[in-house]
Amino acid sequence: MSTVDKQLEDVKATIDEEVPRRISVSDVTYEGPELVIYTRDPKEFAANSDLVRRLASKLRKRITVRPDPDVLAPPSEAESAIRELIPEEAGVMDLNFHTDTGEVVIQAQKPGVVIGRRGATLREITQEVGWTPEVVRTPPIESSTVDNVRNFLKQEREDRRDILERVGRQIHREPMSDDEYVRITTLGSCREVGRAAFILSTPDTRILIDCGNKPGANGEKPYLDIPEAFGAGTNGIDAVVLTHAHLDHSALVPLLFEYGYDGPIYCTEPTRDLMGLLTLDHLDTAADDGRTPPYDSEMVREAIKHTIPLEYGDVTDIAPDIKLTLHNAGHILGSSVCHFHVGDGLYNVAFSGDIHYDDTRLFDGAVNDFPRVETLVLESTYGGRNDYQTDQEDSERKLKQIIQNAYDRDGKVLIPTFAVGRSQELMLVLEEAMRNGDIPEMPVHLDGMIWEATAVHTTYPEYLRDGLQDRIFDEDENPFLADQFNPIDGGDEERQEIADGDSSIILSTSGMLTGGPAMSWLEQLGPDPDSTLTFVGYQAQGTLGKRIQRGIDEVPVGGSGRSETVPLEMNVETVDGFSGHADRQGLENFVKTMNPRPEKILCVHGDESATQDLSSSLYHDQNIRTFAPENLETFRFR
Amino acid sequence: MSTVDKQLEDVKATIDEEVPRRISVSDVTYEGPELVIYTRDPKEFAANSDLVRRLASKLRKRITVRPDPDVLAPPSEAESAIRELIPEEAGVMDLNFHTDTGEVVIQAQKPGVVIGRRGATLREITQEVGWTPEVVRTPPIESSTVDNVRNFLKQEREDRRDILERVGRQIHREPMSDDEYVRITTLGSCREVGRAAFILSTPDTRILIDCGNKPGANGEKPYLDIPEAFGAGTNGIDAVVLTHAHLDHSALVPLLFEYGYDGPIYCTEPTRDLMGLLTLDHLDTAADDGRTPPYDSEMVREAIKHTIPLEYGDVTDIAPDIKLTLHNAGHILGSSVCHFHVGDGLYNVAFSGDIHYDDTRLFDGAVNDFPRVETLVLESTYGGRNDYQTDQEDSERKLKQIIQNAYDRDGKVLIPTFAVGRSQELMLVLEEAMRNGDIPEMPVHLDGMIWEATAVHTTYPEYLRDGLQDRIFDEDENPFLADQFNPIDGGDEERQEIADGDSSIILSTSGMLTGGPAMSWLEQLGPDPDSTLTFVGYQAQGTLGKRIQRGIDEVPVGGSGRSETVPLEMNVETVDGFSGHADRQGLENFVKTMNPRPEKILCVHGDESATQDLSSSLYHDQNIRTFAPENLETFRFR
Ligand SMILES: [Zn+2]
Ligand SMILES: [Zn+2]
Ligand SMILES: [Zn+2]
Ligand SMILES: [Zn+2]
Ligand SMILES: [Zn+2]
């Protein structure tokens, strides 16, 4: 018998002791991080709401109860009963019965109403029909991304259960080694922005954190081929953890499956969906530019299939000696600070991912309160000694002025942005400014995935700030549904019309002018001295955005195959308060107010000078051991 | 066709161009780092002494010329011709003809005489009989170690040629990666003395430098199981380089073959033989102490079979992108500072191994002059701020006084030493002191491999200082053959007799009282207040030697199974000038006079305080970037 089977027998014995005789336990298995208990008495389990909580705390595991298939009410019968139990105003759209797991997926406009106070309605449902209800939201704005992910996962249910069972056995295997150590190996994003990737390793486990590309570079990948990563095959990596969906963190996650990786990806649900959206768009962009895409779209589906979504705050076993907890990072939808607890109190490491320290219109500021942390791996995008940004109020004033000026000249304002995060923040700013009459009403065109990304935001409002959540649920108040927003769906013809037309604002990807429809807009508007190009986000070394900021006066247009240029006669402005990244002050505050104070900080995800400045100032001002690692180094803790 | 075969075709074409028509080239292959040219005209090659040199410089390879077997004079005929050509005084003992390679191994008492001025006699031999002569020394003191190694290698010639051919193809394979980097991973001997092991890696190559055990510890091995080392199997390691034969550097090299390693070991010839001697003794000691030996003696033979011996100064390709050169380290017989040249001028790293900076009776001081070095990995045994040692003259005076005092009390002097290095140095000191009448003549007993190690020294006099070489060749002057030296060969009975007898000096292994016959001596002499225990070498943390220095007053005796003790009533003295290691001053001088000045220094192979003291003082005094790494870290250079 394998050690996992042996251990499951022990678990089963404990459960048998705890569960009253009259409630049957027919089987116990692992599915991913969860322990699944099969029973012929699902109604009894539901009636004893305390029982599962008691088992979970005794076994120190997350527990799911599943009915044996033959004790369930037939779906047709169950459906009427369920619809009867749920209040009308929940807006139930659809019910999906899965006989393999005894789950019924309820899609509704107001999931909270379906769930009831502390899950009361859900328990009632199980008590009545035996099925285990799972509730998902009907997005207020239809998102093909979310639809596709949900349909795909429905269709792949069986495959997915196999994956989860395998992963579950991996997680709960017996640790083998007598050694004790914790190491971090840097594969990318050290003394540079882009290609984030780190290995967290113990004698028993290796975790890959992020796997991004480098914007504007010629396919520079993280160093995935070294022995600590995938150099000796894909078996050695136990799990991938994704901080957020931006391509400099996620773009090469699907590539791992081409390498043969077959393990889990842990991230939030919105990160999973946005990763799908952005990586598929990334493949399209590559193809449009005549480059060879780094992998097939099939690999994106593999990545989604292998994703185990976690919610903020859930403490989850992801390896025999590692527990992962995600916390809000304030940067984009679903972005996480990833906290790793190693061993039984041995060591704790937090990876900040990208963070925004202060609250924004979209998100609460990043969490920096943990039970324990000895080492922090901290982004340093704006870590340079002068990287203090104006506050958002001033920035908004400046942006509005730029728009007003362009409007007065009959010009347009082109704002290159990431599809995810900054676009939605700007939409909120612009909607409010027009509603208040601060700037004239005019169309705001959204090009290149921005609308789709916005739809994903409305699917997961629990990841947004409270006030915004409420507005999104109210159709008349949903700011993203304001009239002036126009998703571009007519291609270059529509763009031409807009360029020839009246004043308007254009938000378009990519955010650093490394491709995407922003290039078409630049071709159209570049020579127009009445229009204004406005940067609102970080421009990495080597990107066209950076070069324009430095003052070049013509820009290449068309794909990589062509070498045409247009003169750049439009105005160029930078408004720096809208970044999704904490500025220098925010980074300092994040550390200063962090609880507990970390012993060591690795400053990464910033230019050489930014990481070194931040490292040396945190050391001098806050007396913490800091490092500005290079790629390909390994640090040992404990 | 493989890339190696393709490349060999190109090499052959170049050779065909360079070699005159009348000289045939029948085949070209790789054997280890050498390029072997087969010819039907070995005599012509020998007559054109310039030709091989020209080819070597053109191809930038080490070249060996071999005759096709059927063009050779028959061995019996060749033997008489060869004996005729070599002057009588060479003392030729034995000739061994190897038809597979066309080599004849000539064993002689004076190899220099066989070789002739600049190899003239050797060339004459080939011109006359076709065979390629190789000369080995008949040891002035018979060494079973050297005999065993030579016989074993003779018997394994075929296997060995297979190995060399495979290694040769490995070395000359095409590099695969576009990346460029140089990394060092620390597997052991960081902030500790013992279990030396490092990985030097590039995108294409991984080299293991040393693989030792930790004296006095419970089998603490270097971290060989991490992915950078052997975690993913033994395929990833291209070569093992051994700085010297001490067990803290060599003890676990044979274990690698149990792991499945099948590649080459590079070191000097004496290091190979001493590694055989010391590791076999290490296995015996383990068995005697009732411990499970870490591997079978068969693995020691595998290690010897896979060794490719190099001479000081030879620049040798050991991987597609790495050239290795060994230099005298002044520490023990055959000990080397290992210089790695990476890529085509990309980077240079020197590993000091253990070094002695000043000249000693046995050896010249360590070499610190290199074409280029950016990073130095430096031993720090005596790197502590107070680790300045008295000079050898004072030390000798002190030792003589200790001996005189013991003699006056009718006591004995027990000196625990490493079998290799310090023992021979002390023998020279004692022989001279008695010859000069500084101390009374008395027996000097040599226990536990010391005599055998001395015999190995006399086999390789070219590794000793000039004056000493000359004395060794002259039977009447060979200091190691002085009458007072008595190798213990009668076991505990002989030891008992000596302990009960008149004054004498006992040199015995192990040097840190971690086992070996020194334990029997301690049991015999420990309670004798007239005798003196004298430490002359470094005592590592956790060893009995260290505990006695700290003042314990009874010592455990017998194997690990027993728990008896004897009271320690004998005098305990430490004479510190005899160490094989550079003291703090020596380490500082090594760096100060190093040419060129290194950019970075990793201080290793020393206690935590020693490595940190040395690191910080080299930084402050010499303004070099220094580090005191921990085990399991990786540093990136370039
Ligand atoms: Zn980001
Ligand atoms: Zn980022
Ligand atoms: Zn040594
Ligand atoms: Zn050593
Ligand atoms: Zn072999």
Side-chain angles (χ1 to χ4, degrees):
Chain A
M1 202 186 322
S2 77
T3 61
V4 178
D5 290 326
K6 174 84 197 53
Q7 191 226 37
L8 269 174
E9 296 241 316
D10 295 346
V11 167
K12 186 152 191 306
T14 308
I15 292 171
D16 284 341
E17 264 169 45
E18 288 291 316
V19 174
R21 287 263 160 148
R22 66 197 149 77
I23 308 183
S24 79
V25 170
S26 37
D27 198 7
V28 174
T29 61
Y30 287 120
E31 272 189 23
E34 314 238 338
L35 182 72
V36 180
I37 300 176
Y38 286 88
T39 179
R40 302 191 60 75
D41 306 294
K43 300 174 188 180
E44 296 269 8
F45 258 102
N48 281 271
S49 59
D50 216 41
L51 181 55
V52 171
R53 207 170 313 132
R54 218 166 57 233
L55 283 174
S57 107
K58 177 122 190 178
L59 295 166
R60 302 181 68 190
K61 300 217 175 340
R62 279 162 58 186
I63 290 179
T64 299
V65 177
R66 294 245 178 87
D68 280 356
D70 57 335
V71 304
L72 298 169
S76 59
E77 199 176 295
E79 173 146 4
S80 353
I82 291 171
R83 288 197 182 268
E84 201 120 308
L85 281 166
I86 300 175
E88 190 82 41
E89 72 267 29
V92 171
M93 310 286 284
D94 199 18
L95 286 130
N96 250 296
F97 290 88
H98 298 289
T99 42
D100 55 343
T101 59
E103 282 170 313
V104 51
V105 178
I106 304 168
Q107 205 191 85
Q109 286 162 316
K110 300 189 175 165
V113 179
V114 180
I115 292 165
R117 265 184 71 83
R118 300 197 176 162
T121 314
L122 296 187
R123 276 193 302 279
E124 267 180 74
I125 288 171
T126 304
Q127 285 181 53
E128 182 114 0
V129 299
W131 294 84
T132 311
E134 192 191 306
V135 192
V136 299
R137 179 183 314 281
T138 313
I141 301 176
E142 206 181 315
S143 157
S144 58
T145 303
V146 173
D147 285 352
N148 288 342
V149 170
R150 286 182 183 170
N151 289 332
F152 172 68
L153 288 176
K154 192 151 84 185
Q155 158 200 326
E156 298 288 327
R157 275 182 80 84
E158 262 184 62
D159 236 22
R160 200 168 142 74
R161 281 189 70 195
D162 290 347
I163 294 169
L164 287 175
E165 196 167 318
R166 183 161 43 73
V167 170
R169 297 177 66 89
Q170 272 291 102
I171 293 171
H172 297 95
R173 74 189 186 274
E174 209 61 42
M176 300 288 287
S177 177
D178 294 333
D179 286 337
E180 262 190 6
Y181 60 77
V182 179
R183 305 200 298 161
I184 290 175
T185 301
T186 57
L187 307 182
S189 78
C190 289
R191 305 195 182 187
E192 64 183 351
V193 172
R195 57 168 171 174
F198 301 90
I199 300 275
L200 175 69
S201 62
T202 72
D204 280 297
T205 306
R206 271 184 283 160
I207 311 285
L208 175 67
I209 293 114
D210 285 346
C211 194
N213 69 356
K214 190 159 174 175
N218 291 322
E220 273 183 272
K221 292 202 283 264
Y223 292 94
L224 299 173
D225 294 335
I226 63 171
E228 300 95 306
F230 295 97
T234 50
N235 275 339
I237 301 293
D238 291 83
V240 175
V241 174
L242 185 55
T243 62
H244 66 289
H246 275 155
L247 290 171
D248 60 321
H249 300 256
S250 74
L252 299 172
V253 167
L255 180 66
L256 305 177
F257 293 88
E258 200 146 286
Y259 281 12
Y261 178 69
D262 200 23
I265 300 168
Y266 296 96
C267 61
T268 61
E269 225 167 350
T271 296
R272 177 196 62 197
D273 294 359
L274 291 172
M275 169 188 70
L277 171 66
L278 295 179
T279 53
L280 287 173
D281 182 52
H282 173 55
L283 297 182
D284 287 349
T285 310
D288 288 352
D289 292 359
R291 285 176 283 131
T292 313
Y295 45 81
D296 199 76
S297 61
E298 178 58 31
M299 295 301 123
V300 177
R301 282 188 287 275
E302 280 299 310
I304 288 168
K305 191 158 79 182
H306 286 76
T307 298
I308 298 179
L310 304 182
E311 288 176 22
Y312 290 151
D314 282 352
V315 180
T316 306
D317 290 304
I318 63 167
D321 56 351
I322 297 189
K323 288 185 203 307
L324 167 66
T325 315
L326 306 183
H327 300 277
N328 169 43
H331 170 64
I332 63 165
L333 188 75
S335 66
S336 311
V337 176
C338 300
H339 178 275
F340 297 88
H341 176 85
V342 181
D344 215 358
L346 179 68
Y347 206 75
N348 298 268
V349 181
F351 284 80
S352 75
D354 291 351
I355 50 172
H356 197 281
Y357 178 72
D358 295 306
D359 297 344
T360 59
R361 284 168 188 266
L362 283 167
F363 307 111
D364 291 330
V367 167
N368 64 351
D369 194 357
F370 309 95
R372 274 180 55 192
V373 186
E374 283 83 23
T375 286
L376 169 67
V377 181
L378 178 64
E379 72 123 314
S380 317
T381 317
Y382 289 110
R385 75 182 87 239
N386 299 316
D387 290 345
Y388 295 90
Q389 306 209 328
T390 43
D391 62 30
Q392 188 154 344
E393 217 172 305
D394 291 342
S395 308
E396 292 187 6
R397 200 164 19 242
K398 183 171 177 191
L399 178 65
K400 287 182 230 172
Q401 194 57 59
I402 289 167
I403 292 167
Q404 185 68 55
N405 292 349
Y407 183 84
D408 293 343
R409 290 191 307 264
D410 267 345
K412 284 110 202 154
V413 176
L414 170 60
I415 307 179
T417 62
F418 277 139
V420 173
R422 289 318 88 197
S423 297
Q424 289 72 40
E425 185 80 15
L426 287 169
M427 285 169 76
L428 295 179
V429 171
L430 297 175
E431 187 271 339
E432 189 189 274
M434 291 185 195
R435 183 156 38 83
N436 292 348
D438 296 346
I439 52 173
E441 290 242 2
M442 66 185 107
V444 178
H445 306 288
L446 307 171
D447 203 357
M449 297 290 140
I450 292 177
W451 184 247
E452 181 55 33
T454 305
V456 177
H457 280 70
T458 66
T459 309
Y460 299 104
E462 57 275 31
Y463 285 85
L464 303 174
R465 288 184 74 178
D466 274 359
L468 182 56
Q469 274 185 45
D470 298 343
R471 290 175 65 203
I472 285 175
F473 292 143
D474 185 336
E475 215 173 301
D476 297 328
E477 284 220 39
N478 188 333
F480 298 121
L481 290 175
D483 284 340
Q484 57 270 43
F485 293 123
N486 168 48
I488 301 287
D489 47 18
D492 273 343
E493 207 171 312
E494 187 178 1
R495 288 185 194 104
Q496 182 72 57
E497 263 169 48
I498 292 167
D500 295 343
D502 292 335
S503 279
S504 66
I505 301 168
I506 300 132
L507 305 187
S508 176
T509 60
S510 75
M512 302 186 192
L513 297 178
T514 55
M519 305 310 289
S520 300
W521 289 108
L522 209 53
E523 184 169 1
Q524 297 279 358
L525 300 176
D528 174 15
D530 296 329
S531 290
T532 305
L533 173 64
T534 306
F535 293 107
V536 295
Y538 179 79
Q539 304 298 306
Q541 298 292 347
T543 60
L544 178 57
K546 187 75 183 179
R547 281 184 289 141
I548 291 177
Q549 283 186 323
R550 292 219 173 113
I552 57 169
D553 61 2
E554 54 176 30
V555 292
V557 294
S560 59
R562 295 152 61 194
S563 61
E564 293 163 40
T565 60
V566 296
L568 189 68
E569 316 237 316
M570 73 194 299
N571 306 287
V572 176
E573 297 277 0
T574 295
V575 182
D576 68 5
F578 289 108
S579 169
H581 294 275
D583 72 347
R584 168 64 177 260
Q585 188 65 56
L587 293 168
E588 285 176 355
N589 290 343
F590 182 87
V591 174
K592 198 174 294 168
T593 63
M594 186 166 163
N595 180 32
R597 208 177 114 85
E599 295 167 6
K600 293 182 186 171
I601 298 179
L602 271 51
C603 298
V604 304
H605 195 290
D607 290 344
E608 179 146 3
S609 66
T611 50
Q612 287 182 338
D613 280 0
L614 185 63
S615 168
S616 101
S617 96
L618 291 176
Y619 170 69
H620 287 294
D621 301 347
Q622 306 194 30
N623 196 23
I624 294 171
R625 286 197 65 187
T626 58
F627 304 86
E630 295 190 65
N631 291 329
L632 289 171
E633 294 196 307
T634 297
F635 292 79
R636 189 222 179 142
F637 312 99
R638 286 311 289 260
Chain B
M1 199 184 324
S2 77
T3 60
V4 178
D5 289 326
K6 174 87 194 52
Q7 190 226 37
L8 269 173
E9 296 240 318
D10 295 345
V11 167
K12 186 153 189 307
T14 308
I15 293 171
D16 283 341
E17 263 168 45
E18 289 291 316
V19 173
R21 287 262 160 149
R22 64 197 151 79
I23 308 183
S24 80
V25 170
S26 37
D27 198 9
V28 174
T29 62
Y30 287 120
E31 273 190 21
E34 315 237 336
L35 182 72
V36 180
I37 300 176
Y38 286 88
T39 178
R40 302 191 61 74
D41 305 294
K43 298 173 188 179
E44 295 269 9
F45 258 102
N48 281 272
S49 59
D50 216 39
L51 180 56
V52 171
R53 207 172 311 132
R54 218 165 57 233
L55 282 173
S57 107
K58 176 124 195 178
L59 294 165
R60 303 179 66 191
K61 298 213 174 349
R62 278 162 60 186
I63 290 180
T64 300
V65 176
R66 295 244 179 88
D68 281 358
D70 58 335
V71 304
L72 298 169
S76 59
E77 200 177 293
E79 172 145 5
S80 348
I82 291 172
R83 287 194 183 270
E84 202 119 308
L85 280 165
I86 300 174
E88 188 81 42
E89 71 267 29
V92 171
M93 309 285 284
D94 199 18
L95 286 118
N96 251 294
F97 290 89
H98 298 290
T99 42
D100 53 344
T101 58
E103 282 169 313
V104 51
V105 178
I106 303 168
Q107 205 192 85
Q109 285 164 316
K110 298 187 176 169
V113 179
V114 180
I115 293 165
R117 266 184 71 83
R118 299 199 177 161
T121 313
L122 296 187
R123 276 194 301 279
E124 268 180 71
I125 289 171
T126 304
Q127 286 182 53
E128 182 112 2
V129 299
W131 294 84
T132 312
E134 191 191 305
V135 193
V136 299
R137 181 183 313 279
T138 312
I141 300 175
E142 204 182 315
S143 157
S144 57
T145 302
V146 173
D147 284 353
N148 288 341
V149 170
R150 287 182 182 171
N151 288 332
F152 170 69
L153 288 176
K154 192 151 86 187
Q155 158 199 326
E156 299 287 326
R157 276 183 77 87
E158 265 184 59
D159 234 24
R160 202 170 141 73
R161 280 190 68 195
D162 290 347
I163 294 169
L164 287 176
E165 195 167 319
R166 184 162 42 72
V167 170
R169 296 178 65 91
Q170 271 291 104
I171 293 171
H172 297 94
R173 73 187 186 275
E174 210 60 44
M176 301 288 286
S177 177
D178 294 332
D179 287 335
E180 262 191 4
Y181 59 77
V182 178
R183 307 200 299 160
I184 291 175
T185 302
T186 57
L187 307 182
S189 78
C190 289
R191 305 195 182 187
E192 65 184 348
V193 172
R195 55 169 175 174
F198 301 89
I199 301 275
L200 175 69
S201 62
T202 71
D204 280 297
T205 307
R206 272 185 283 161
I207 311 285
L208 175 67
I209 293 116
D210 285 348
C211 194
N213 69 357
K214 190 159 175 177
N218 291 322
E220 274 183 89
K221 292 200 283 265
Y223 292 95
L224 298 173
D225 295 335
I226 63 172
E228 301 94 307
F230 295 96
T234 50
N235 275 340
I237 301 291
D238 292 83
V240 175
V241 174
L242 184 55
T243 60
H244 66 291
H246 275 154
L247 289 171
D248 60 322
H249 300 256
S250 74
L252 298 172
V253 167
L255 181 67
L256 304 178
F257 293 89
E258 200 147 285
Y259 281 13
Y261 177 69
D262 202 22
I265 301 169
Y266 296 95
C267 62
T268 60
E269 226 169 347
T271 296
R272 177 195 63 195
D273 295 0
L274 292 172
M275 168 188 70
L277 172 66
L278 295 178
T279 53
L280 288 172
D281 182 53
H282 173 54
L283 297 182
D284 286 348
T285 310
D288 287 352
D289 291 359
R291 284 175 284 130
T292 314
Y295 46 82
D296 199 77
S297 61
E298 177 58 33
M299 295 301 122
V300 177
R301 280 187 288 276
E302 279 298 310
I304 289 168
K305 189 160 79 185
H306 286 76
T307 298
I308 299 179
L310 304 181
E311 288 175 22
Y312 291 151
D314 281 353
V315 179
T316 306
D317 289 306
I318 64 168
D321 56 351
I322 297 188
K323 288 185 202 309
L324 166 66
T325 315
L326 306 182
H327 300 276
N328 170 42
H331 170 64
I332 64 166
L333 188 74
S335 66
S336 310
V337 175
C338 301
H339 178 276
F340 296 87
H341 176 85
V342 180
D344 216 359
L346 180 69
Y347 206 75
N348 298 269
V349 181
F351 285 80
S352 75
D354 292 351
I355 51 171
H356 197 280
Y357 178 71
D358 296 304
D359 296 344
T360 59
R361 284 169 187 265
L362 284 167
F363 307 112
D364 290 331
V367 167
N368 63 352
D369 194 357
F370 310 95
R372 273 180 56 192
V373 186
E374 284 84 22
T375 286
L376 169 68
V377 180
L378 178 64
E379 72 124 315
S380 318
T381 317
Y382 289 110
R385 75 182 87 242
N386 299 316
D387 290 345
Y388 294 91
Q389 306 209 326
T390 44
D391 64 27
Q392 186 154 346
E393 217 172 305
D394 291 342
S395 307
E396 291 187 7
R397 202 165 18 244
K398 182 171 177 192
L399 178 64
K400 287 182 230 173
Q401 194 57 56
I402 289 167
I403 292 167
Q404 184 69 52
N405 292 348
Y407 183 86
D408 292 343
R409 291 189 307 260
D410 268 347
K412 283 111 204 154
V413 176
L414 171 60
I415 307 178
T417 62
F418 278 138
V420 173
R422 291 317 87 194
S423 296
Q424 289 73 38
E425 185 81 13
L426 287 169
M427 286 168 75
L428 295 179
V429 171
L430 297 173
E431 187 270 341
E432 188 189 274
M434 291 183 195
R435 181 155 39 82
N436 292 348
D438 296 347
I439 54 173
E441 289 243 1
M442 67 185 107
V444 177
H445 306 290
L446 308 171
D447 203 356
M449 297 291 139
I450 293 176
W451 183 248
E452 181 54 32
T454 306
V456 176
H457 281 70
T458 66
T459 309
Y460 299 104
E462 57 276 30
Y463 286 85
L464 304 174
R465 290 185 72 179
D466 274 358
L468 182 57
Q469 275 185 45
D470 297 343
R471 290 174 64 204
I472 284 175
F473 292 143
D474 185 336
E475 213 173 299
D476 298 329
E477 283 219 43
N478 187 332
F480 298 121
L481 290 174
D483 284 339
Q484 58 269 42
F485 294 123
N486 167 48
I488 301 287
D489 48 18
D492 273 342
E493 206 171 314
E494 187 179 1
R495 288 185 194 106
Q496 183 71 57
E497 261 170 48
I498 292 167
D500 295 343
D502 293 336
S503 280
S504 65
I505 300 167
I506 300 130
L507 306 186
S508 176
T509 58
S510 72
M512 302 186 193
L513 297 177
T514 55
M519 304 310 288
S520 300
W521 289 108
L522 208 53
E523 184 170 0
Q524 297 278 358
L525 299 176
D528 174 16
D530 296 328
S531 290
T532 305
L533 173 63
T534 307
F535 294 106
V536 295
Y538 179 80
Q539 304 298 306
Q541 297 293 346
T543 61
L544 179 57
K546 186 75 182 181
R547 282 184 288 141
I548 290 176
Q549 283 186 323
R550 291 219 172 114
I552 58 168
D553 61 2
E554 53 177 28
V555 292
V557 293
S560 58
R562 295 153 60 194
S563 61
E564 292 163 42
T565 59
V566 295
L568 189 67
E569 317 239 314
M570 72 194 300
N571 306 288
V572 176
E573 297 276 0
T574 295
V575 181
D576 68 6
F578 291 107
S579 168
H581 294 274
D583 70 347
R584 168 65 178 259
Q585 188 64 58
L587 293 168
E588 286 175 355
N589 290 343
F590 182 87
V591 173
K592 197 173 294 168
T593 63
M594 186 165 163
N595 180 34
R597 208 177 115 85
E599 294 167 5
K600 293 182 185 171
I601 298 180
L602 271 51
C603 298
V604 304
H605 195 291
D607 291 343
E608 178 146 3
S609 66
T611 50
Q612 287 182 337
D613 281 0
L614 185 62
S615 168
S616 99
S617 96
L618 290 177
Y619 170 69
H620 287 294
D621 300 348
Q622 305 194 32
N623 196 23
I624 295 171
R625 286 197 66 187
T626 58
F627 304 86
E630 294 191 65
N631 291 329
L632 289 170
E633 295 195 306
T634 297
F635 292 79
R636 188 221 180 142
F637 312 100
R638 286 311 291 260

